[in-house]
Amino acid sequence: EGWLLRCGVGRALCGQDLAVFFWLRQQCGGDVATFDRFVRSLVQRLRDAPTIVQDVKRLLLEAFPSGVGWQSLEGEWPSEQWWQEEVSSRLDELSSSDECTAVNKVVRAWENVTPCEVVGGSEAKLSKLIIRTAIHVKVRWSLQQVLYFLDGISSTQSVYRESVIRMGDAYGFNDSKSVDVLQRWCLLLVRHNCQDHVEVLKRFLQCQGELKCTTALFQAVVDKSRTEMRWKFIARDLWDFVQPHIHPCVQTAVFQILHKGGCIG
């Protein structure tokens, strides 16, 4: 569980989501203290610019001069298929457990509740759901369960915008310090047209500079702007905010997305 709590830091490695963190931990053996020092040095590196494979190798060499357990780093980096299979296997482990059942129950509960802002909605039902589930999501659930929940909410069309706003406050997603949670949550905010939550999007962009995460959010904003014009102005605001703080390579990728989407000249 302690390891899973650090997954939010590890997702910045080479844009390969949680899998690379699991993989690096396995390769470095059981010396957790040394690996933690490696993670801290890598986080320091990422504050200035996105990392690349060579940076990871150099920092690993400094942390593990003997190279025990990860000599394979000198060969080919694992394929994209490997990353997908690793993440899938982690979710499969969760899917077969009681933890998954608990998460699915909460997802279904949100699918079945209608907020009071919608005709036929019930504030009493919504409040009861929040009271019943908030302590589990905020305190008792593991990081994997929270991510599994957000993936479940993302995969359904039956959750109202008003419900998304309420769960963000009740479950603490708006204030989360996990990059993985924030990434999924920000995409949900954009999808459900939560235009008054731009500060959450800015905080996510500010806390990481990884190419994959940053471009995914801007692409979602551009896609939403095709049906909701105000998102074009939000896209420009986000760009002005984050541009001075991200690597030139990331700047170029984001600019291309905004230019193609007609959000910037």
Side-chain angles (χ1 to χ4, degrees):
E1 292 179 356
W3 177 252
L4 292 176
L5 291 175
R6 298 197 295 273
C7 286
V9 175
R11 74 156 296 112
L13 297 174
C14 304
Q16 299 295 350
D17 210 317
L18 299 179
V20 71
F21 210 41
F22 290 126
W23 181 72
L24 284 172
R25 176 63 182 85
Q26 292 166 354
Q27 301 306 307
C28 292
D31 192 347
V32 176
T34 302
F35 190 76
D36 283 346
R37 288 195 294 272
F38 156 70
V39 170
R40 286 194 292 270
S41 64
L42 185 57
V43 169
Q44 183 64 45
R45 166 70 175 80
L46 288 169
R47 287 173 181 166
D48 301 323
T51 190
I52 58 177
V53 172
Q54 288 74 17
D55 294 322
V56 177
K57 291 182 179 180
R58 178 178 57 78
L59 292 172
L60 278 170
L61 276 170
E62 294 175 358
F64 298 87
S66 63
V68 175
W70 53 272
Q71 289 88 341
S72 60
L73 281 173
E74 297 305 322
E76 292 294 324
W77 201 251
S79 66
E80 181 69 21
Q81 182 179 357
W82 188 94
W83 305 120
Q84 295 172 358
E85 291 175 352
E86 181 72 5
V87 172
S88 177
S89 68
R90 298 288 171 170
L91 292 178
D92 286 344
E93 291 175 8
L94 178 61
S95 299
S96 61
S97 68
D98 293 338
E99 292 178 338
C100 174
T101 302
V103 174
N104 286 335
K105 286 181 179 179
V106 179
V107 172
R108 286 195 296 269
W110 279 104
E111 288 178 327
N112 294 327
V113 72
T114 304
C116 59
E117 293 85 351
V118 179
V119 177
S122 170
E123 177 63 25
K125 282 186 177 181
L126 184 58
S127 298
K128 184 178 179 180
L129 173 60
I130 291 174
I131 293 171
R132 191 175 74 246
T133 60
I135 188 66
H136 293 280
V137 178
K138 294 180 70 174
V139 178
R140 297 174 183 171
W141 279 8
S142 66
L143 175 61
Q144 274 186 306
Q145 284 179 288
V146 173
L147 298 181
Y148 190 74
F149 171 77
L150 290 172
D151 287 343
I153 295 296
S154 298
S155 65
T156 180
Q157 302 291 328
S158 303
V159 176
Y160 288 91
R161 173 184 179 274
E162 291 77 9
S163 294
V164 169
I165 293 174
R166 292 290 292 273
M167 73 173 68
D169 295 329
Y171 294 164
F173 294 149
N174 292 324
D175 300 317
S176 176
K177 292 180 173 56
S178 167
V179 174
D180 297 292
V181 171
L182 275 177
Q183 182 196 19
R184 289 163 170 80
W185 181 241
C186 286
L187 292 177
L188 275 169
L189 290 176
V190 175
R191 172 184 163 187
H192 287 274
N193 197 28
C194 301
Q195 299 178 8
D196 51 348
H197 285 66
V198 174
E199 290 305 313
V200 181
L201 307 187
K202 287 183 176 180
R203 191 163 66 83
F204 168 67
L205 291 172
Q206 189 175 39
C207 73
Q208 58 80 42
E210 199 267 312
L211 177 66
K212 181 179 178 182
C213 299
T214 304
T215 54
L217 178 58
F218 273 99
Q219 186 64 63
V221 171
V222 168
D223 292 343
K224 193 67 177 178
S225 72
R226 295 189 175 99
T227 56
E228 297 288 340
M229 181 62 68
R230 190 183 170 210
W231 283 100
K232 287 185 179 292
F233 300 100
I234 293 175
R236 183 57 185 264
D237 181 37
L238 292 175
W239 169 246
D240 290 341
F241 171 78
V242 77
Q243 181 187 5
H245 308 292
I246 55 178
H247 191 273
C249 294
V250 183
Q251 288 182 12
T252 300
V254 172
F255 183 86
Q256 290 175 348
I257 292 172
L258 294 175
H259 181 70
K260 185 177 180 179
C263 296
I264 196 170

